Amino acid sequence: MALSRDDVEKVALLARLQLSEAELDTLTDELAQIVTYVDQLAEVDTGDVEPMAHAVELSNVFAADGVRPSLPREQALANAPAHNERGYLVPAVLGD
Amino acid sequence: MIEIVWFLNSQSAKVEVRKWHKSMAEDFTTVIGLEVHVQLATQSKLFCRCSTQFGAEPNTQTCPLCIGMPGTLPVMNREAYDLALKTAVALDCEIPEFTKWDRKQYYYPDLPKGYQISQYDLPMSSGGTLAISDSQDQFEPKQIRITRAHLEEDAGKSIHDEANGKADSEIDLNRTGTPLLEIVSEPDLRSPAEAKAYLQELKLLLTYLGVSDCNMQEGSLRVDANVNLHLETDSGSAATPIVEIKNLNSFRAVERAIEYEAGRQYRVWQETGQKLGEAPKQTRGWDDAAGVTRGQRSKEESSDYRYFPDPDLVPVITLPEQVAQVKASLGELPAALRQRLTTDFGLSEYDAEVLVNQGRALVDYTLRVADLSGDAKSACNWVTQEVLRVLKEQGRSIEQFQEQSVSSNDLAELICKVKSGEVPSARARELFDVMAREIYVSFEDKLSFEEVVKSLGIEQVDESELIDLCKELLGANPRIVADVQNGKQQAVGALIGQAKQRNPNVDPGQIRKLCLELIEQGFGSAE
Amino acid sequence: MELLSLLSAGEITSVEVTQGYLDQISAEDGAVGAFLHADVDLALSKAAEVDRRRQANEPLGRLAGLPVAVKDVLCDTQMPATCASRMLENFRPPYDSTVVAKLKEADAVLIGRTNMDEFAMGGSTENSAYQLTRNPWDLERAPGGSSGGAAACVAARMAPLSIGTDTGGSIRQPAGLCGVVGLKPTYGRVSRYGLVAFASSLDQVGPLALNVADAALLLETIAGHDPLDSTSLDEPLPAYSTLVERPLEGLRLGIVREHFAEGLNPEVEEAVRAAVAVYESLGATVKEISLPHSKYAVATYYVIAPSEASSNLARYDGIHYGHRTDISAMQAELATEQKAFLAAGDQIAVDNMDSPLVRMYRRTRAEGFGSEVKRRIMLGTYALSAGYYDAYYLKALKVRRLIRQDFDAAFEEVDLIAGPVTAEPAFKLGQMSGDPLAMYLVDLYTVSANLAGLPGISLPCGFTTSGLPIGLQLQAAPLAEETLIRGARMFEQATDWHQRRPEKKQS
Ligand SMILES: [Zn+2]
């Protein structure tokens, strides 16, 4: 499938990456090249094959319900780029 | 179809709605599907062991996992899965053998991982039903199809400073990762009343199952409504674009929002003629104070959630035997219970509904009283009339009531003693009220049934005693005897009052009957 | 292990051993650049504590007093965990990864954090946001990656043991290029809890060491079921460190027809064929097998790994931890843009502008991530996006199963598969820059084991005429680490490639 600069721009928004014009150009070329390489998967007959999402296929792994201590709040917030004593701070979300 | 004028909070809106309903009443049907998010009653979160307790100080119930810190891995809470499964089975859903969890990806400050763990193409259940009916006959009983019910995690909360739009928002992650069951209905609902009935029945079911506290104020039950109109026009049938209404925090809000939205869509339809498929699905928020829905800005790309199976979680296999086991352990659910109360106990549909809607505990109480007294009808009557009245007056729960005041044993004994005549029926309610009024802190302090009976001086009056009393009264009141003989039977009423003064345990009916019989036999006549 | 027996015999103290390695780090690491962070005081105080406890005859852990280097991708409350990214420059984990916890429990001396490709994405360690790591055998060449620091520090004798991670070959490939032993366990054998995820269904933690016995010891220390990792295997843990010394009898060795196709460096091919001959001389029977879908492994990998990565790295958004863009600069940028659009009368452009929140995310991530990380996020986002999911992601998951089935069939016939680790020995620094696809193709022989979840090991099997190490890769069936290490040890005992060491760098 051909990958256009327009596609790359849309993907960049989905991925929340700001790309310069130059980056957009390079990435369009590079991604197109990689996607073309990956397109060879189309030639494999996968008719009845079940997808394999895990390297080792386990099932029904659970933990018992029950409360264990949480992080002290100062520690929870310690890595935040902006916080007050109660929570994480984000610049006003104007109209989202 | 829509002919009732539903209440809106402002007079002008009321008048406006009335107007268009009058002219357009037969033109369209409102089609509604509901998405309900229920917080499951686990102690800890879905993928970590932080508490789910409501109301804690912001960010005091978080850990590296629910903060979404690098390197953390989710492990599913078994109780959350079990509660979800129980609910799905109770909703008559199909439970597939294989289910998995997927990542739903979008960016928002209250979603620390940048994705929500949810279920996409292989949910844990699908294809159920929930029956709704209305004892007030606003609509015909019907089966609402359940599309699916799936288990997912909740997001945190953004607290915006309303007063100052420029201030920072504060993020609280206490709620992040709380287990939610999303229950999606088919668009089978046709009016705000049906939507409300569906929600009430669903809430009742969840309460019976004990899977959620369904506390809407605390956000344990949240509703989104998908609404559009099906119209009959001269050129055939048409439908308006579907709108999803969010932020519905009470059943009342659901009713009002659907009502408003139907009217809004009709006006837009008249203005634009825009049909389903001609505009993208829109999301609108309900503003409860203003009583309107408002469009929410949504970028086109935001709907591309890029779901894919979460590689950190493994699938769950549920075998048919397990499903059968869950089914067998559900106990009697509201619909079956109502059925049994009407057929086996002879209750009216209305009484059965009243009783069942009060919750499992009251029904259990009633059934225990019925069982102990061997008189189901009386048990139901006592509960629906006297017990409910007292609970309402006192603002107590049935659990408190039976523990502190009238146990099922006490009420059953009362019923039996009245039946046997040991407690004159004339004094039964008085006796009940005395027992119900007392609130015992400890069981040891509690007066026994007999003690209460004794303290009130209640005792059986045998017939010879009654006859003697009647003879005495008739002898002392020749004028009344004469009145009765002259055809004024009601004159005997004056004697009943006197009899009760002499002995509070007498049965007024019996006094009346005996006096009339004695007069008939010629007793007390002036000879 | 020799050092460990000297320590337990009391012939040498942990402080002396630790100081010795710290000295080696000061002497060599200026040239090699394997470490991002070393806490000398912390290491020496741990060593002193172990010595004290040994003197008091207190019980000690399995690695008591032995220095271990850890790749900067495993959380440790006492260390940074930058993942060689600007994004996590100031991140201090509030919890220990299970592997680090096990190392601490074993009384290892955690001597430092090793350099890597940013978020483990790359095969040369050139994608580190902080520094280059050089191959101790030739400082002009890359150590491989992404665990380049982990391999280089062992090769240059700056740590006796080190922990790496392997998502597509990131332990085996640098081990091969640096002439040390590197083992990728079966997926689920070692807990991923606290390992900063690159591609969750492929990532595994594993040991790097100077010989197979040491690697087996480190594997035994870090492996085992972990209830904190849903994908962790609840299987008995063999005593690898003792079992390793038992040679395999009647070993059936497979060589893969497809491995010896065009593109394999003749010196590498020669060394690998010679290694196979060594096995034959040790009584192994050799059988040629086919893995027909192996040629699709790189394509499959470069759909699945970036897809998972795009999702795993969504959490770096500047809200809860990590880098955040300068808010006033962001606002100024938006204002300037808006002004320009308005001046041009372009109302549509104004309407389509990023909201402040979206722009904050985009700038934060653009500043925090390097180009390879961005490339993979873009690739993965694309592969998962509406309209492409079936053609790329879902298709890749199906081919992945075919790749696994090829291996299942092969392991019916053979116990181990032997082959090259990479087609070429260590390449020059900068040689691959500007050609991401060529860089991806370096993973040709290693990615299949990650896709299929198999264990694999890389061990020295020769040198090029120019003196660069050549690695031999062995792969085994899932959970057959025991076969893998016993088979590898056999070879090691019969050869002396692992005893060679690079020349000392000037201090
Ligand atoms: Zn938590």
Side-chain angles (χ1 to χ4, degrees):
Chain A
M1 270 170 247
L3 187 79
S4 68
R5 196 174 187 277
D6 205 35
D7 292 332
V8 174
E9 234 171 312
K10 279 186 192 140
V11 173
L13 173 59
L14 259 185
R16 295 292 187 269
L17 287 170
Q18 187 177 32
L19 300 175
S20 67
E21 295 297 314
E23 281 178 301
L24 270 173
D25 288 336
T26 341
L27 266 173
T28 304
D29 290 347
E30 288 170 351
L31 293 180
Q33 199 193 355
I34 297 164
V35 166
T36 306
Y37 175 76
V38 161
D39 276 338
Q40 64 172 298
L41 292 179
E43 71 193 47
V44 186
D45 178 7
T46 52
D48 303 328
V49 183
E50 280 291 312
M52 179 176 167
H54 294 82
V56 173
E57 297 177 291
L58 303 172
S59 63
N60 298 41
V61 175
F62 293 107
D65 187 25
V67 176
R68 290 216 216 106
S70 291
L71 271 186
R73 180 156 61 181
E74 314 79 70
Q75 238 180 304
L77 299 172
N79 279 297
H83 65 91
N84 60 19
E85 72 285 1
R86 285 188 311 272
Y88 308 87
L89 294 179
V90 191
V93 187
L94 300 168
D96 300 346
Chain B
M1 177 117 239
I2 296 175
E3 46 196 76
I4 313 145
V5 178
W6 288 291
F7 174 80
L8 283 182
N9 67 342
S10 79
Q11 276 304 321
S12 61
K14 197 175 198 174
V15 171
E16 194 188 305
V17 169
R18 194 187 297 275
K19 262 190 221 150
W20 63 256
H21 268 136
K22 269 205 174 138
S23 53
M24 309 307 165
E26 308 306 321
D27 285 349
F28 65 80
T29 307
T30 311
V31 177
I32 307 151
L34 296 178
E35 280 176 28
V36 177
H37 286 91
V38 187
Q39 183 181 324
L40 296 172
T42 54
Q43 293 173 51
S44 57
K45 296 184 180 182
L46 184 52
F47 299 118
C48 65
R49 305 288 76 82
C50 289
S51 170
T52 55
Q53 191 82 48
F54 179 82
E57 278 287 296
N59 295 301
T60 54
Q61 287 173 180
T62 68
C63 68
L65 181 115
C66 54
I67 299 170
M69 281 197 181
T72 54
L73 295 172
V75 184
M76 188 171 294
N77 184 331
R78 174 178 281 282
E79 179 71 2
Y81 179 77
D82 287 347
L83 294 178
L85 181 63
K86 191 172 171 184
T87 312
V89 170
L91 287 167
D92 260 330
C93 287
E94 295 278 326
I95 310 297
E97 269 195 34
F98 180 96
T99 188
K100 67 176 170 78
W101 277 262
D102 304 283
R103 294 181 180 179
K104 178 182 182 178
Q105 311 192 68
Y106 63 95
Y107 287 87
Y108 204 73
D110 65 12
L111 188 71
K113 299 189 298 302
Y115 57 84
Q116 176 197 25
I117 302 176
S118 181
Q119 299 200 276
Y120 183 52
D121 56 339
L122 298 169
M124 58 177 296
S125 74
S126 61
T129 54
L130 184 69
I132 58 167
S133 59
D134 180 21
S135 56
Q136 271 130 39
D137 290 330
Q138 277 191 53
F139 55 85
E140 290 295 305
K142 65 197 284 189
Q143 297 279 332
I144 306 304
R145 290 170 300 155
I146 306 289
T147 316
R148 60 191 278 165
H150 73 243
L151 181 60
E152 63 182 26
E153 60 175 343
D154 206 346
K157 282 180 192 162
S158 302
I159 305 148
H160 308 287
D161 188 346
E162 301 287 345
N164 182 358
K166 293 277 180 226
D168 286 347
S169 302
E170 201 177 290
I171 311 295
D172 173 13
L173 298 182
N174 280 350
R175 202 179 65 184
T176 310
T178 297
L180 293 180
L181 186 66
E182 178 175 326
I183 303 166
V184 184
S185 87
E186 292 287 314
D188 287 351
L189 299 158
R190 292 291 176 270
S191 69
E194 288 188 11
K196 188 181 175 192
Y198 169 84
L199 292 171
Q200 282 170 333
E201 186 65 15
L202 183 61
K203 184 179 168 186
L204 189 66
L205 180 72
L206 297 166
T207 313
Y208 266 70
L209 294 169
V211 297
S212 173
D213 66 16
C214 296
N215 187 331
M216 288 189 88
Q217 280 80 48
E218 295 180 0
S220 304
L221 194 156
R222 307 198 284 272
V223 183
D224 300 333
N226 285 293
V227 178
N228 78 338
L229 307 181
H230 287 192
L231 308 103
E232 289 306 324
T233 68
D234 299 339
S235 49
S237 25
T240 56
I242 297 172
V243 168
E244 181 173 9
I245 316 173
K246 296 214 172 257
N247 197 26
L248 299 169
N249 294 323
S250 68
F251 291 174
R252 184 84 200 100
V254 174
E255 279 188 287
R256 291 174 61 208
I258 294 170
E259 170 59 21
Y260 172 86
E261 183 58 24
R264 192 196 64 83
Q265 286 188 23
Y266 193 79
R267 285 194 298 277
V268 173
W269 159 259
Q270 286 188 314
E271 281 163 27
T272 66
Q274 206 168 42
K275 292 181 195 167
L276 182 64
E278 292 173 2
K281 181 175 162 177
Q282 202 194 348
T283 302
R284 299 179 71 84
W286 171 247
D287 180 337
D288 204 60
V292 297
T293 62
R294 295 186 206 279
Q296 291 180 342
R297 176 179 149 163
S298 58
K299 281 208 168 188
E300 204 182 313
E301 55 87 21
S302 70
S303 58
D304 192 348
Y305 292 123
R306 291 160 287 132
Y307 282 100
F308 81 107
D310 191 330
D312 290 332
L313 285 166
V314 302
V316 171
I317 312 289
T318 309
L319 299 173
E321 301 91 272
Q322 284 168 270
V323 177
Q325 235 167 42
V326 171
K327 199 167 214 147
S329 70
L330 286 179
E332 204 169 17
L333 298 177
L337 206 47
R338 275 190 214 107
Q339 183 70 39
R340 184 152 73 95
L341 290 174
T342 49
T343 49
D344 297 6
F345 293 82
L347 257 63
S348 71
E349 271 176 38
Y350 180 80
D351 282 348
E353 190 169 309
V354 167
L355 204 51
V356 171
N357 288 1
Q358 294 299 322
R360 181 85 234 183
L362 189 78
V363 175
D364 286 344
Y365 178 81
T366 312
L367 294 179
R368 267 200 311 279
V369 174
D371 192 37
L372 292 166
S373 67
D375 184 349
K377 181 74 191 150
S378 297
C380 291
N381 284 340
W382 272 98
V383 172
T384 51
Q385 287 160 29
E386 305 304 327
V387 176
L388 279 182
R389 171 180 59 82
V390 167
L391 292 183
K392 207 170 166 188
E393 281 167 11
Q394 301 180 335
R396 279 197 287 166
S397 71
I398 182 65
E399 287 88 350
Q400 292 169 320
F401 177 79
Q402 59 179 325
E403 200 168 297
Q404 301 165 339
S405 303
V406 185
S407 69
S408 48
N409 259 321
D410 294 336
L411 187 55
E413 197 162 358
L414 176 60
I415 290 169
C416 290
K417 292 272 160 71
V418 170
K419 213 172 171 186
S420 69
E422 283 171 69
V423 169
S425 58
R427 303 201 66 190
R429 191 174 147 182
E430 182 193 350
L431 176 58
F432 173 81
D433 279 348
V434 168
M435 291 196 296
R437 205 168 50 223
E438 297 299 328
I439 295 172
Y440 296 98
V441 182
S442 95
F443 187 73
E444 285 77 39
D445 298 339
K446 187 172 167 176
L447 292 179
S448 72
F449 183 80
E450 281 75 18
E451 285 168 328
V452 179
V453 168
K454 213 174 194 177
S455 74
L456 291 176
I458 294 175
E459 52 187 24
Q460 193 171 13
V461 189
D462 70 33
E463 198 163 339
S464 66
E465 224 176 307
L466 273 183
I467 290 172
D468 289 347
L469 178 63
C470 288
K471 281 180 177 167
E472 200 186 321
L473 289 173
L474 291 174
N477 294 285
R479 200 183 306 153
I480 291 176
V481 175
D483 284 350
V484 172
Q485 281 170 335
N486 293 332
K488 284 177 69 181
Q489 289 209 348
Q490 66 272 31
V492 86
L495 296 179
I496 295 169
Q498 290 183 34
K500 286 203 71 150
Q501 267 172 9
R502 303 278 284 273
N503 183 348
N505 294 320
V506 298
D507 180 335
Q510 220 177 346
I511 294 288
R512 163 188 286 272
K513 183 168 150 266
L514 281 172
C515 285
L516 291 176
E517 275 171 17
L518 286 167
I519 294 170
E520 185 99 332
Q521 289 158 17
F523 184 84
S525 325
E527 281 160 44
Chain C
M1 146 177 234
E2 202 189 330
L3 204 47
L4 207 53
S5 21
L6 291 175
L7 277 166
S8 59
E11 286 175 40
I12 190 170
T13 66
S14 175
V15 169
E16 286 167 336
V17 171
T18 304
Q19 191 58 59
Y21 281 104
L22 289 171
D23 290 348
Q24 180 73 358
I25 292 172
S26 353
E28 300 274 305
D29 207 39
V32 176
F35 285 92
L36 284 175
H37 178 85
D39 190 332
V40 174
D41 295 341
L42 188 67
L44 287 173
S45 79
K46 175 69 189 181
E49 181 211 314
V50 171
D51 288 339
R52 197 167 51 244
R53 283 167 50 203
R54 198 189 301 280
Q55 284 231 292
N57 276 320
E58 287 175 29
L60 288 168
R62 190 197 304 274
L63 300 180
L66 205 61
V68 178
V70 177
K71 188 176 179 180
D72 203 29
V73 71
L74 285 149
C75 291
D76 180 334
T77 53
Q78 294 165 299
M79 300 270 184
T82 69
C83 302
S85 179
R86 291 277 168 225
M87 188 61 90
L88 290 176
E89 192 163 3
N90 299 310
F91 179 65
R92 298 294 297 224
Y95 73 105
D96 277 338
S97 55
T98 297
V99 166
V100 164
K102 279 177 180 273
L103 290 171
K104 288 180 176 175
E105 217 176 86
D107 290 315
V109 174
L110 301 182
I111 196 166
R113 309 282 293 181
T114 57
N115 197 20
M116 55 188 280
D117 286 299
E118 183 180 7
F119 287 107
M121 297 178 194
S124 67
T125 314
E126 290 166 292
N127 296 327
S128 167
Y130 299 105
Q131 67 193 39
L132 278 180
T133 297
R134 295 169 183 276
N135 193 314
W137 294 92
D138 178 349
L139 296 178
E140 294 306 304
R141 292 178 188 268
S146 63
S147 310
C153 77
V154 173
R157 273 53 174 186
M158 295 188 282
L161 298 172
S162 98
I163 298 286
T165 63
D166 191 317
T167 306
S170 283
I171 288 174
R172 292 159 291 158
Q173 182 254 33
L177 301 187
C178 289
V180 300
V181 173
L183 189 154
K184 179 202 100 72
T186 306
Y187 183 86
R189 194 27 127 180
V190 178
S191 169
R192 291 186 297 116
Y193 182 75
L195 157 63
V196 179
F198 157 19
S200 311
S201 83
L202 304 163
D203 295 341
Q204 257 300 283
V205 185
L208 292 100
L210 284 172
N211 60 62
V212 176
D214 292 359
L217 174 69
L218 189 52
L219 174 64
E220 192 178 328
T221 309
I222 61 172
H225 178 242
D226 182 6
L228 297 175
D229 175 357
S230 304
T231 61
S232 162
L233 291 167
D234 194 359
E235 298 284 343
L237 183 65
Y240 299 124
S241 57
T242 46
L243 289 165
V244 67
E245 301 299 347
R246 282 201 232 156
L248 294 167
E249 279 175 39
L251 170 65
R252 300 172 300 164
L253 193 69
I255 54 170
V256 182
R257 196 175 305 137
E258 291 83 0
H259 282 175
F260 297 92
E262 213 182 322
L264 181 61
N265 178 301
E267 282 189 286
V268 174
E269 174 165 359
E270 197 185 327
V272 170
R273 292 210 187 271
V276 172
V278 169
Y279 275 109
E280 282 183 299
S281 75
L282 295 170
T285 52
V286 175
K287 187 174 166 108
E288 190 179 76
I289 55 165
S290 172
L291 299 171
H293 294 94
S294 61
K295 65 172 173 166
Y296 300 109
V298 173
T300 304
Y301 178 84
Y302 279 97
V303 173
I304 294 173
S307 294
E308 293 184 13
S310 72
S311 175
N312 286 331
L313 273 64
R315 68 191 63 209
Y316 306 108
D317 59 4
I319 308 275
H320 308 96
Y321 45 79
H323 173 74
R324 176 191 283 189
T325 192
D326 184 272
I327 297 297
S328 36
M330 179 271 286
Q331 283 165 330
E333 180 182 78
L334 279 175
T336 311
E337 263 171 48
Q338 189 178 34
K339 220 160 140 189
F341 289 143
L342 288 173
D346 191 347
Q347 189 56 44
I348 295 169
V350 174
D351 293 344
N352 284 333
M353 273 177 61
D354 291 342
S355 69
L357 181 64
V358 168
R359 182 58 61 89
M360 189 204 79
Y361 286 141
R362 297 183 74 171
R363 276 176 60 107
T364 292
R365 291 164 60 77
E367 293 162 2
F369 293 141
S371 59
E372 182 58 31
V373 172
K374 288 182 200 170
R375 194 178 293 123
R376 297 206 194 185
I377 289 175
M378 290 290 289
L379 189 56
T381 305
Y382 175 71
L384 291 175
S385 65
Y388 300 103
Y389 181 90
D390 286 2
Y392 292 118
Y393 183 73
L394 193 63
K395 183 78 182 182
L397 290 190
K398 291 177 177 177
V399 178
R400 180 180 193 177
R401 186 171 300 281
L402 294 174
I403 290 169
R404 167 63 184 257
Q405 286 170 353
D406 285 353
F407 278 109
D408 288 344
F411 286 118
E412 296 281 311
E413 298 179 54
V414 300
D415 305 310
L416 290 174
I417 294 171
V421 182
T422 52
E424 296 282 343
F427 46 88
K428 288 237 161 92
L429 287 163
Q431 188 184 319
M432 300 280 192
S433 60
D435 192 353
L437 185 57
M439 187 70 239
Y440 295 176
L441 290 169
V442 169
D443 298 338
L444 183 64
Y445 301 123
T446 48
V447 289
S448 303
N450 300 82
L451 291 167
L454 315 171
I457 192 168
S458 168
L459 64 158
C461 74
F463 286 81
T464 62
T465 46
S466 57
L468 295 173
I470 297 171
L472 171 71
Q473 180 177 219
L474 298 175
Q475 290 170 300
L479 285 170
E481 280 86 356
E482 184 191 327
T483 315
L484 192 69
I485 55 169
R486 287 170 65 188
R489 184 66 169 167
M490 276 167 77
F491 177 81
E492 193 173 74
Q493 299 284 43
T495 59
D496 64 357
W497 304 113
H498 64 287
Q499 284 165 357
R500 298 212 190 166
R501 56 186 292 178
E503 281 168 36
K504 268 198 183 291
K505 308 297 166 270
Q506 71 293 350
S507 56

